[in-house]
Amino acid sequence: MSDRQSIFDAVKAQIEPFNKKGVPITDATTFQGDLEWDSLTVMDFVASIEDEFDIIITMNMQAEIENVGQLVDAVAKLRDN
């Protein structure tokens, strides 16, 4: 299994408690459009991702991340630093 796939799987697992509508999770799944998350849900989710991967996602990065694939790539990049 690739490192990106393992990150995707972990991100998907973190999404599940917040996925109230049971939306299928793919790289293209958007947080605001598909999952319909509000800002409080996003903040809770970001905190869980930061804890899971021991990283910090800045507000600027959060503003640029619109879908699951972008988040997985950002996590991979942050873990490599």
Side-chain angles (χ1 to χ4, degrees), residues 24-69:
I25 306 303
T26 69
D27 274 351
T29 304
T30 61
F31 298 106
Q32 191 169 19
D34 296 326
L35 296 170
E36 299 179 10
W37 287 359
D38 60 17
S39 57
L40 184 58
T41 303
V42 170
M43 295 305 291
D44 288 344
F45 174 69
V46 168
S48 72
I49 289 294
E50 289 176 334
D51 289 346
E52 172 77 16
F53 293 102
D54 195 26
I55 58 173
I56 300 293
I57 301 173
T58 66
M59 294 301 277
N60 288 343
M61 287 182 75
Q62 288 180 40
E64 295 174 5
I65 297 172
E66 297 177 0
N67 64 41
V68 173

